[in-house]
Amino acid sequence: MDLKDKIRTIQDFPKKGIMFKDITPLLADSAAFKFAIQEFLARFKDKGITVVASAESRGFIFGSVVAYELGAAFVPMRKPGKLPFKKITQEFRTEYSTDAFEIHEDAIKKGDKVLIVDDLLATGGTAEAAARLVEKLGGKVSGIAFLIELSFLNGREKLGGYDLLSLIKYD
Amino acid sequence: MDLKDKIRTIQDFPKKGIMFKDITPLLADSAAFKFAIQEFLARFKDKGITVVASAESRGFIFGSVVAYELGAAFVPMRKPGKLPFKKITQEFRTEYSTDAFEIHEDAIKKGDKVLIVDDLLATGGTAEAAARLVEKLGGKVSGIAFLIELSFLNGREKLGGYDLLSLIKYD
């Protein structure tokens, strides 16, 4: 199955010059969604993953299913102010500003093998922040899986030390 | 399994007087997460559901897995400005303000049987808005499933016409 057929490109969203990758046609096609999940599982099912971590919001859609299928814990990483318990924060730069994600301190134990799942690898800032949060808590980042990689933004360079998977690439 | 044991109550979050229900311990326990999903499936698997719709962000965590297991489309409903394609909007009142959700116009076809999945039934405003969006697009709301119901807020009264399921109740 060519998953790229299920991605809709929207011109000038959210601002002029951006070719936004809309994943909702893929989510609407249960066979395509299942195919994507199976690709993630095929790559990481024998890696002893104990935790799947995803950043809000679209990351949750893929990460929760992968965690469910692996029998792993699911850990949400959220924008500041959303998580209610003791937590740590990691700032990161986006193209235009500084943003941050938080994670609960008890979400990851020393020695956990963590798979980070997200919908999109762009500049790599989000995934790098996610990996830092995992490592600050003593977890090992066993892999980072993306539905889409915008290869022309070179986000992969920021994530050089990690086992990366992306299912759809745009050069 | 008593799922209530997997919910952590956080006092005075996000503001004084609120007893926040933290679902992250449940998400961290893969057996508990699987049990919750199976309860949703047991109730709705024979209802001919074609679409599972959820509002961001926590709703995505449960809705995506239910859609995956049912072989149904997954439709995200999002805060204003997040969805890139043609869309419709539904405002709703929360305890302190007015908020809104949007849905893509092509997300639901006339005659779709839609299951709305969310983590929490509080005052019912969010679920009611979600149901309106589905119906505006010609879908039938075949059920609304919640992980948690705060029964003392009487949200159920706003949703009288629908087939409701909640797995954990707080009186």
Side-chain angles (χ1 to χ4, degrees):
Chain A
M1 182 180 297
D2 190 351
L3 290 175
K4 203 180 257 189
D5 295 343
K6 306 296 176 184
I7 305 298
R8 176 164 55 191
T9 298
I10 311 276
Q11 206 170 335
D12 297 327
F13 183 89
K15 54 186 77 185
K16 202 158 175 58
I18 307 270
M19 303 291 273
F20 187 86
K21 301 303 175 193
D22 177 12
I23 64 169
T24 63
L26 186 147
L27 300 176
D29 181 328
S30 65
F33 186 47
K34 186 151 284 192
F35 183 85
I37 297 294
Q38 295 301 324
E39 294 283 300
F40 290 146
L41 296 173
R43 172 71 167 270
F44 292 105
K45 70 176 162 27
D46 299 323
K47 306 286 186 185
I49 302 297
T50 56
V51 172
V52 176
S54 292
E56 68 175 308
S57 294
R58 287 188 303 257
F60 289 2
I61 297 171
F62 297 90
S64 61
V65 182
V66 173
Y68 175 85
E69 283 284 52
L70 290 176
F74 178 69
V75 168
M77 295 186 284
R78 303 208 61 186
K79 294 295 181 71
K82 300 281 192 161
L83 287 172
F85 192 61
K86 280 173 275 180
K87 60 207 174 187
I88 60 171
T89 303
Q90 177 68 49
E91 291 193 347
F92 62 95
R93 294 177 60 105
T94 66
E95 207 170 352
Y96 304 104
S97 65
T98 300
D99 208 335
F101 279 118
E102 298 185 331
I103 192 171
H104 275 162
E105 281 182 14
D106 67 350
I108 289 173
K109 296 175 295 297
K110 204 174 283 288
D112 266 328
K113 291 184 172 180
V114 182
L115 175 62
I116 295 167
V117 176
D118 206 353
D119 68 320
L120 183 74
L121 171 55
T123 64
T126 305
E128 191 185 28
R132 285 296 97 74
L133 287 173
V134 168
E135 291 165 350
K136 280 181 179 174
L137 294 177
K140 178 186 185 310
V141 177
S142 295
I144 313 182
F146 303 96
L147 178 68
I148 297 172
E149 176 176 1
L150 304 180
S151 309
F152 59 89
L153 292 176
N154 301 314
R156 202 169 259 271
E157 289 175 10
K158 272 210 189 86
L159 307 170
Y162 301 113
D163 184 8
L164 301 188
L165 170 66
S166 63
L167 304 185
I168 305 169
K169 292 183 177 65
Y170 292 91
D171 297 316
Chain B
M1 183 182 297
D2 190 351
L3 289 176
K4 204 180 258 188
D5 295 343
K6 305 296 177 186
I7 304 298
R8 175 165 55 192
T9 298
I10 310 277
Q11 205 171 335
D12 297 327
F13 183 89
K15 54 185 76 183
K16 203 159 174 56
I18 307 269
M19 303 290 272
F20 187 86
K21 300 304 175 191
D22 176 13
I23 64 169
T24 63
L26 185 148
L27 299 175
D29 182 328
S30 65
F33 185 47
K34 186 151 284 192
F35 183 85
I37 297 294
Q38 295 301 323
E39 293 282 302
F40 290 146
L41 296 173
R43 171 69 166 271
F44 292 105
K45 72 174 161 26
D46 298 323
K47 307 284 184 185
I49 302 297
T50 57
V51 172
V52 176
S54 292
E56 67 175 310
S57 294
R58 286 188 302 258
F60 289 3
I61 298 171
F62 296 91
S64 61
V65 182
V66 173
Y68 175 85
E69 284 283 51
L70 291 176
F74 178 69
V75 168
M77 295 186 285
R78 303 207 61 184
K79 295 296 180 72
K82 300 280 192 165
L83 288 172
F85 193 60
K86 280 173 275 178
K87 59 208 174 186
I88 61 171
T89 303
Q90 177 67 49
E91 292 194 347
F92 62 95
R93 295 176 59 103
T94 65
E95 206 170 353
Y96 304 104
S97 64
T98 300
D99 208 336
F101 279 118
E102 298 186 333
I103 192 170
H104 276 165
E105 280 182 15
D106 68 349
I108 289 171
K109 295 176 295 295
K110 205 176 282 287
D112 267 329
K113 292 185 172 180
V114 182
L115 175 62
I116 295 168
V117 176
D118 206 352
D119 68 319
L120 184 73
L121 171 55
T123 64
T126 305
E128 190 185 28
R132 286 296 97 72
L133 287 173
V134 168
E135 291 164 350
K136 279 181 180 175
L137 294 177
K140 177 186 185 311
V141 177
S142 295
I144 313 183
F146 303 96
L147 178 68
I148 297 171
E149 177 177 1
L150 303 180
S151 309
F152 58 90
L153 292 177
N154 302 314
R156 201 170 262 270
E157 289 174 11
K158 272 211 189 84
L159 307 169
Y162 301 112
D163 183 8
L164 301 188
L165 170 66
S166 62
L167 304 185
I168 304 169
K169 291 183 175 67
Y170 293 91
D171 297 316

